[in-house]
Amino acid sequence: MKKDIKVIIDTIVNILLKSFSFVFALIISKAIIKNYGSDVNGLFSLITQIFTYVALLEAGIGNATQQLYFEAFAKEDYNKANSIFLSSKKSYITTSYLYLIFTVLISFVIPLIGKSNLGYIIVLCLSMLQGISGVLTFILLSSYKNLMISSGKYKVSNMINLCAYILIVVLKILSINLNLNIIFMQIAQIIGTFFEIVITINYCKKEYKWLDSSAAEIIKLKQRKAFLVHEISGAVFSSTDIIVLSLMCSLEIASVYSVYNILYSAISSIAGIISTSFVCHIGYEFNKNPEKYYVLHDKFECLYISTIFALVTTATILCPTFIKVYTKGIQDINYLDSYLPIMFALIIILTCGRSISNRLIGIAGYAKQTQNRSIIEMTINIVSSVILAYKFGIYGVLAGTIIATIYRTIDVILYANHKIIKRKNFKIFIMLLLDFILFAILMTLSPLLKIRAISYIDLIVPGILIGMITITLFGIISVLVYAFPYLKKINEKI
């Protein structure tokens, strides 16, 4: 019970920390648009997103080591945990060479994709500095962060990351206000990365006394290549939209995409925090008591999906008013759009709908068996996005992502239930269908609310009220779908 309460408290704290990151991301984006224009904001979004997803190369190692850490920590085998840490560190350093090659190649290509008035050399330098920050993270930081997350110190890792991000934001704002060369904005990224590296390593050395770099045993990371295939596919899948928009539309359109993406990425990050906070707990249970895990799986999936639907619905109802306030005074391109919030919402809902089943596939060690399915999703997204973008622009790109996500979500849920849990589980599909119907009804009725706001503060009360209503409505659906069979059995016994 105490462990469950700790997990819930840690999750709430992590969400609050991520909310601060969301606010700072909005501040930086608005400052860039106002001082340099939407095309430069689109360029920064392109650079940041490409390197963010290239950084997912580390997740092949991260997911493989997490699986081993869960086994070691469940048995309190710290010698094995130390060997896992050393193995992961070695793998991260090896992979950093691949990341460095990607950095050089991408840095020369980005100026050709995102044609800006900044000039080729400046864009090249901006890209290179962003990539160098990632290389440093791979070599010096990733192994420690993965250890912290796997051992339940996700909250501490997020706090350190937030402090580093605040430092980066302050330095970037200063460079803008002092009219320094735009390259100084990217130098701020490297300074923040060094800060995070120093704090994280010092914390880990004090917290994990059993870490011993002289230990000889090196453990082979199971299914590392399979996890890597999944993450590379995911990286290409996730960065397709911004690249296609930059190539086939314009950096201004990419800027519009990036503003909406900041909002919905924040929801996706919150969803990731919730699943990551609980995955340690349920990961230990899977290795200790699989039967108990399956019960936890259903309970968590029920709670998770209801929460995500409520969050996304609330955000989508408030989105048009929020964008109107956020882009006030910006005239180089129109950021207001009725359809974009709905399309972004569908992508987040579909992605999060499969999240728990996807976690189970990783925990149970089925990454290799499912890697081809991940490649299929990536291929569907690229082909459909490029084809549809010609005629429909940004709507076509998002439609391509939705098509690919529908395929993969259905596939992941079916695979996890049929192949791993060995059951036919239609409850999850019934719940998703009912939630989508409720989402459609609420979005149809939302214009009747006529939400008006002059500042962000004006959105707080409507946001709380709408949030309370949505969490109640989606909660009722989850209770009806998941709890009703148990209530029926109890009633029959009585």
Side-chain angles (χ1 to χ4, degrees):
M1 187 66 182
K2 286 182 179 179
K3 188 183 287 186
D4 292 340
I5 293 171
K6 183 180 180 299
V7 169
I8 293 169
I9 292 171
D10 285 353
T11 303
I12 293 169
V13 172
N14 286 327
I15 289 171
L16 290 173
L17 292 172
K18 186 56 69 175
S19 299
F20 285 119
S21 297
F22 163 65
V23 171
F24 291 131
L26 289 173
I27 291 170
I28 282 293
S29 182
K30 183 71 175 284
I32 292 172
I33 293 171
K34 276 198 160 187
N35 289 274
Y36 300 105
S38 292
D39 65 325
V40 175
N41 183 57
L43 175 67
F44 269 105
S45 299
L46 173 66
I47 294 170
T48 302
Q49 194 157 355
I50 287 176
F51 279 105
T52 297
Y53 294 124
V54 170
L56 288 175
L57 286 171
E58 69 90 15
I61 305 166
N63 287 330
T65 52
Q66 258 191 14
Q67 187 185 3
L68 294 170
Y69 273 133
F70 290 151
E71 295 175 15
F73 289 135
K75 298 173 183 176
E76 297 185 356
D77 187 347
Y78 297 113
N79 286 328
K80 184 178 180 181
N82 183 61
S83 297
I84 296 166
F85 172 79
L86 294 176
S87 301
S88 70
K89 193 172 184 179
K90 183 180 178 183
S91 296
Y92 278 122
I93 292 170
T94 303
T95 309
S96 67
Y97 297 120
L98 180 61
Y99 191 102
L100 184 60
I101 293 169
F102 270 117
T103 294
V104 174
L105 292 175
I106 290 169
S107 296
F108 280 98
V109 172
I110 284 178
L112 302 175
I113 298 173
K115 294 178 181 178
S116 167
N117 56 14
L118 293 176
Y120 186 93
I121 299 299
I122 295 293
V123 178
L124 172 67
C125 292
L126 292 173
S127 304
M128 195 72 75
L129 288 168
Q130 183 77 29
I132 290 170
S133 174
V135 173
L136 291 172
T137 298
F138 259 72
I139 296 173
L140 302 171
L141 184 63
S142 292
S143 55
Y144 289 97
K145 286 190 76 170
N146 193 39
L147 170 62
M148 291 172 72
I149 292 169
S150 301
S151 62
K153 300 295 182 182
Y154 189 41
K155 178 177 67 177
V156 180
S157 177
N158 271 343
M159 289 176 71
I160 296 171
N161 180 257
L162 177 63
C163 291
Y165 191 59
I166 291 171
L167 176 61
I168 291 168
V169 170
V170 170
L171 292 174
K172 284 187 175 183
I173 295 294
L174 279 173
S175 70
I176 291 172
N177 290 337
L178 294 172
N179 294 316
L180 298 177
N181 189 294
I182 198 168
I183 289 176
F184 281 93
M185 287 184 64
Q186 291 299 72
I187 293 174
Q189 190 75 35
I190 295 177
I191 293 170
T193 302
F194 266 117
F195 174 84
E196 186 176 5
I197 288 167
V198 172
I199 301 298
T200 300
I201 291 175
N202 282 322
Y203 174 84
C204 288
K205 285 181 177 179
K206 290 178 182 178
E207 179 67 23
Y208 306 105
K209 302 290 186 183
W210 41 265
L211 285 178
D212 180 10
S213 58
S214 63
E217 186 184 2
I218 298 292
I219 293 177
K220 185 178 179 181
L221 302 180
K222 299 175 185 177
Q223 302 198 61
R224 178 195 157 190
K225 290 181 180 178
F227 279 118
L228 188 59
V229 169
H230 276 281
E231 297 306 330
I232 290 175
S233 300
V236 175
F237 174 86
S238 301
S239 57
T240 295
D241 290 358
I242 195 81
I243 293 173
V244 171
L245 287 173
S246 300
L247 277 170
M248 300 178 66
C249 298
S250 66
L251 285 176
E252 285 85 359
I253 295 296
S255 179
V256 173
Y257 174 93
S258 72
V259 168
Y260 284 90
N261 193 51
I262 288 172
L263 176 60
Y264 285 94
S265 290
I267 299 170
S268 182
S269 295
I270 290 171
I273 287 167
I274 295 170
S275 62
T276 303
S277 297
F278 280 86
V279 78
C280 294
H281 179 48
I282 61 178
Y284 298 150
E285 289 298 338
F286 183 84
N287 286 282
K288 279 185 175 180
N289 187 349
E291 292 301 320
K292 187 179 177 182
Y293 166 80
Y294 296 140
V295 176
L296 283 172
H297 177 95
D298 286 343
K299 287 181 179 178
F300 182 40
E301 189 170 55
C302 169
L303 173 66
Y304 182 76
I305 291 174
S306 297
T307 304
I308 299 309
F309 262 98
L311 281 172
V312 171
T313 304
T314 302
T316 306
I317 291 171
L318 295 172
C319 186
T321 310
F322 171 82
I323 295 295
K324 192 178 292 185
V325 174
Y326 181 71
T327 58
K328 186 179 179 181
I330 298 171
Q331 297 177 342
D332 55 352
I333 192 167
N334 181 28
Y335 282 83
L336 291 172
D337 191 284
S338 304
Y339 301 108
L340 292 182
I342 304 291
M343 299 184 84
F344 272 99
L346 289 174
I347 294 168
I348 298 298
I349 289 169
L350 287 165
T351 304
C352 293
R354 73 187 189 214
S355 181
I356 307 307
S357 295
N358 211 31
R359 292 281 188 179
L360 175 58
I361 289 171
I363 292 169
Y366 282 78
K368 187 175 182 179
Q369 293 90 325
T370 56
Q371 62 184 11
N372 290 336
R373 298 159 189 259
S374 186
I375 295 170
I376 292 171
E377 179 191 29
M378 174 193 71
T379 306
I380 292 171
N381 186 33
I382 293 172
V383 173
S384 57
S385 292
V386 170
I387 292 172
L388 293 171
Y390 271 111
K391 189 169 184 179
F392 302 105
I394 191 171
Y395 304 121
V397 170
L398 290 169
T401 303
I402 291 169
I403 292 166
T405 310
I406 289 172
Y407 152 73
R408 187 67 175 134
T409 296
I410 294 171
D411 176 69
V412 166
I413 292 172
L414 288 174
Y415 192 94
N417 282 278
H418 291 183
K419 298 289 185 180
I420 303 175
I421 305 179
K422 309 290 185 186
R423 68 180 182 185
K424 292 181 179 179
N425 183 17
F426 296 108
K427 285 190 291 185
I428 176 65
F429 289 111
I430 294 169
M431 183 174 175
L432 285 171
L433 178 61
L434 292 174
D435 281 343
F436 271 117
I437 292 170
L438 177 57
F439 173 75
I441 293 169
L442 291 174
M443 293 315 304
T444 303
L445 296 174
S446 64
L448 299 175
L449 294 175
K450 299 187 185 303
I451 301 169
R452 292 182 177 87
I454 299 173
S455 66
Y456 302 118
I457 296 172
D458 297 332
L459 292 170
I460 294 174
V461 173
I464 292 171
L465 292 175
I466 294 168
M468 289 171 66
I469 293 168
T470 55
I471 195 68
T472 301
L473 293 174
F474 286 110
I476 289 170
I477 289 177
S478 67
V479 170
L480 289 173
V481 174
Y482 276 87
F484 183 74
Y486 298 106
L487 293 173
K488 191 177 178 182
K489 286 181 182 179
I490 293 169
N491 187 51
E492 287 174 356
K493 288 181 180 179
I494 294 172

